[in-house]
Amino acid sequence: MLTGELRNRVDQVWNAFWSGGIANPLEVIEQITYLLFLRALDADQTREDHKATRFKTQPVRVYPPGSDERGLPYAQMRWSHFKNVGPEQMFKVLSEHVFPFLRGLHASGGPAAESAFARHMRDARFTIPTPNLLGKVVDLLDGIPLDDRDTKGDLYEYMLGKIASAGQNGQFRTPRHIIQLMVALTAPTPQDTICDPASGTCGYLVAASNYLRATYPDMLRVPAQNRHFHHAMFHGFDFDHTMLRIGSMNMVLHGVEHPAIEYRDSLSQGSAGDAGAYSLILANPPFAGSLDYENTAKDLLAVVKTKKTELLFLALFLRLLKTGGRAAVIVPDGVLFGSSKAHRELRRLLVEEQKLDAVISLPGGVFKPYAGVSTAILLFTKTMSGGTDHVWFYDLQADGWSLDDKRQPLLESSLLGLQPLVDGRSQLSEDEHPKNNLPDVLLRWKERERTERQRPRTAQSFCVPKADIAANGYDLSLNRYKEVVHEEVQHRAPAEIMAELRRIEGEIAEGMKALEGMLR
């Protein structure tokens, strides 16, 4: 957790950008990301220098020896050097020397060029407008401690939260507590290879890495698992270079050294090379649009003939998963009950040819204030041989925050998210549960093969046999199967009913007279 002092420092950095003329929140976080990367490079070089002194060896050169083509020594491009010069000189060093160095970093070779972040620096732009703003931001960032992985990660998450609160770019962020729920439902293991084909800021991959560190604390002490975790476990695709830079830095600051965060239009014809490569997919793909058939991967169209991105992404997930692989993905409600041939066929495929595990209905305000669309979490396993027996449904009505545009917490912070789960039990009271259903979702999910089978369809969660789903045209909307308890109808005397009917009749007659008068 960040202290109040650290939050204040971040707020000061953010406000300095805004008062200095940079109002686009994505541009702010991008410029901060560049500066954090420069500070990290300098720390790496310092660490290598100390190691060389201690062991009397030649240091690994994060910064190359010599000078750039304009004659400035690379040593003067280090954070520890330029932070101590005046604003005018610092501005010239970064704009004329450091950023050209960063843009050529990936092609230069050496340790720095191999970082996950470096390969997305080809079009890095320095857009801080004035020397004074640069000097102020560098001073503020220099005062933030970045030695602890958790602090670095929380710091960046706090900054990313400001993208959402700024409004226009909130669509890039799935609420953190919803991501953590989806990760917990799929329970990643050290053997998994995890992919998010619409990765954005890499929130799902970060949450998965945090879950693994907490659940398997000895994992990184095993050389093979350490290597897999840092070099082969995490894969994210996006076609926005800004998102790639931000996502890569998010992963690095959370302690994943070399995640595979790559430029890719996941639905395009040229992206069919890794079918069956992943054991776990976590995603909230974009689902407001359609594509041209000509630009869409033909193997996806062979699964489902459609232009709708939400259906194409589901077909993509099935292609990317290896047999036995599992997925937790967010879809709009239309996927669950859409009547087109493509909708029905994709649902049939999930139920009959794969193993559909669960449908968790999310409240309509989860993505406010950016979107009020109703959504659900689908959990399924790729089998290519069926296996759906019962599908578990959960009616998630509250996620701990108000469902209006303000999205204010409804409980104290210790009772939000999955935190109230202690030793396999929820610490929420009967009065608190209606404000935060997330711990209950996870507890009931673990009982879906046992006690959940006996729950009536009037309950908040229940199981539906595959035969019932098939009989309903593979409709997966919760309301199709949920039964409502009707209150007893209150009996009224016939005279009372007749009096009420005469009253209504009189109101109708008066309304008709008024309408006739207006027409004259």
Side-chain angles (χ1 to χ4, degrees):
M1 294 288 291
L2 289 181
T3 64
E5 182 183 353
L6 277 179
R7 287 174 182 268
N8 288 336
R9 277 193 169 275
V10 173
D11 293 342
Q12 289 175 37
V13 172
W14 203 267
N15 291 334
F17 272 103
W18 282 68
S19 61
I22 299 182
N24 183 339
L26 274 184
E27 187 175 0
V28 173
I29 192 69
E30 187 175 39
Q31 295 301 304
I32 291 173
T33 298
Y34 293 143
L35 294 174
L36 288 174
F37 181 59
L38 289 169
R39 186 174 165 188
L41 280 184
D42 183 63
D44 288 346
Q45 185 66 75
T46 300
R47 187 166 50 251
E48 292 299 334
D49 290 344
H50 289 163
K51 192 186 301 181
T53 301
R54 181 179 178 185
F55 296 106
K56 296 181 172 55
T57 59
Q58 285 296 315
V60 174
R61 303 305 308 177
V62 176
Y63 284 84
S67 305
D68 68 0
E69 58 185 18
R70 296 191 180 192
L72 185 74
Y74 285 107
Q76 293 184 26
M77 300 182 201
R78 294 178 58 175
W79 177 277
S80 55
H81 185 275
F82 68 68
K83 73 173 185 177
N84 294 316
V85 303
E88 297 286 345
Q89 180 64 19
M90 185 193 304
F91 191 85
K92 182 176 181 181
V93 168
L94 264 78
S95 61
E96 297 182 9
H97 301 277
V98 173
F99 270 73
F101 165 66
L102 289 180
R103 285 192 287 270
L105 192 60
H106 186 52
S108 66
E114 296 171 5
S115 76
F117 187 71
R119 60 177 172 267
H120 303 304
M121 297 295 286
R122 285 176 300 178
D123 58 348
R125 296 177 305 116
F126 179 65
T127 61
I128 295 177
T130 65
N132 286 338
L133 175 59
L134 174 63
K136 185 174 183 179
V137 171
V138 168
D139 284 346
L140 288 168
L141 287 178
D142 194 58
I144 296 175
L146 293 179
D147 298 326
D148 179 73
R149 175 182 58 81
D150 291 334
T151 300
K152 287 190 294 188
D154 288 346
L155 176 86
Y156 207 69
E157 283 290 318
Y158 182 60
M159 290 183 187
L160 292 177
K162 288 182 171 292
I163 295 180
S165 63
Q168 69 198 62
N169 298 296
Q171 66 269 25
F172 292 117
R173 284 179 54 81
T174 307
R176 192 176 183 182
H177 53 286
I178 299 297
I179 292 176
Q180 290 169 342
L181 172 66
M182 293 167 67
V183 170
L185 290 167
T186 54
T189 71
Q191 290 74 42
D192 272 318
T193 302
I194 306 170
C195 179
D196 180 354
S199 56
T201 62
C202 291
Y204 282 99
L205 300 180
V206 164
S209 72
N210 290 340
Y211 176 93
L212 284 159
R213 286 180 185 272
T215 309
Y216 303 95
D218 296 328
M219 171 185 64
L220 297 181
R221 296 174 188 168
V222 180
Q225 291 183 359
N226 184 298
R227 191 162 51 251
H228 179 64
F229 180 88
H230 285 296
H231 294 266
M233 179 177 280
F234 301 102
H235 300 258
F237 310 137
D238 208 295
F239 53 79
D240 184 308
H241 286 291
T242 299
M243 286 294 108
L244 290 169
R245 283 190 284 270
I246 292 172
S248 296
M249 179 57 71
N250 200 13
M251 293 294 288
V252 170
L253 291 177
H254 278 87
V256 183
E257 294 173 1
H258 296 283
I261 311 302
E262 302 173 7
Y263 179 88
R264 182 183 300 187
D265 182 350
S266 293
L267 300 178
S268 69
Q269 178 61 30
S271 301
D274 51 358
Y278 309 105
S279 62
L280 175 59
I281 285 180
L282 298 160
N284 177 13
F287 39 67
S290 59
L291 302 176
D292 294 332
Y293 287 132
E294 294 76 19
N295 298 326
T296 305
K298 299 299 182 283
D299 58 338
L300 299 184
L301 294 175
V303 175
V304 55
K305 183 75 170 176
T306 183
K307 296 180 180 181
K308 291 187 173 295
T309 55
E310 60 264 37
L311 300 182
L312 290 168
F313 266 106
L314 276 175
L316 172 70
F317 301 151
L318 289 173
R319 184 187 76 188
L320 294 176
L321 284 173
K322 61 178 64 176
T323 302
R326 60 212 188 280
V329 300
I330 292 178
V331 298
D333 273 3
V335 170
L336 307 180
F337 56 76
S339 59
S340 75
K341 181 179 179 181
H343 282 89
R344 291 196 304 272
E345 175 56 22
L346 194 55
R347 295 195 301 265
R348 186 202 67 79
L349 189 151
L350 284 173
V351 172
E352 297 289 355
E353 298 183 23
Q354 315 300 334
K355 185 176 184 292
L356 179 60
D357 298 300
V359 179
I360 300 172
S361 176
L362 297 176
V366 163
F367 293 100
K368 282 190 174 182
Y370 318 109
V373 62
S374 294
T375 56
I377 301 170
L378 286 186
L379 292 110
F380 57 88
T381 305
K382 180 176 177 178
T383 64
M384 301 305 293
S385 59
T388 304
D389 181 12
H390 287 70
V391 176
W392 183 69
F393 286 82
Y394 191 102
D395 186 10
L396 200 159
Q397 299 167 357
D399 68 340
W401 277 259
S402 64
L403 297 173
D404 55 17
D405 286 352
K406 293 182 179 180
R407 291 290 276 158
Q408 297 293 318
L410 301 176
L411 297 165
E412 61 181 76
S413 60
S414 63
L415 299 178
L416 294 173
L418 296 175
Q419 293 181 102
L421 280 176
V422 179
D423 296 329
R425 299 183 64 185
S426 175
Q427 306 302 301
L428 295 179
S429 68
E430 287 187 13
D431 292 334
E432 291 163 344
H433 164 73
K435 298 177 182 178
N436 178 14
N437 297 169
L438 303 191
D440 188 56
V441 175
L442 195 55
L443 292 175
R444 294 196 189 196
W445 162 255
K446 293 175 180 177
E447 290 293 319
R448 67 191 182 282
E449 303 294 342
R450 296 182 290 274
T451 57
E452 288 295 294
R453 294 287 180 92
Q454 279 72 57
R455 286 193 187 273
R457 294 191 189 179
T458 54
Q460 192 168 9
S461 64
F462 52 85
C463 292
V464 178
K466 184 180 79 169
D468 285 13
I469 293 173
N472 281 284
Y474 300 101
D475 191 317
L476 297 176
S477 55
L478 180 140
N479 289 334
R480 169 70 71 172
Y481 307 101
K482 189 174 179 66
E483 297 175 359
V484 179
V485 180
H486 295 285
E487 295 182 6
E488 244 182 76
V489 177
Q490 183 179 1
H491 292 287
R492 302 168 69 186
E496 187 181 347
I497 295 172
M498 290 303 295
E500 180 69 11
L501 287 173
R502 282 194 294 271
R503 185 188 65 77
I504 295 171
E505 198 173 61
E507 288 181 356
I508 293 172
E510 288 179 11
M512 292 297 293
K513 285 181 182 177
L515 182 60
E516 286 174 4
M518 291 173 63
L519 291 174
R520 290 198 197 99

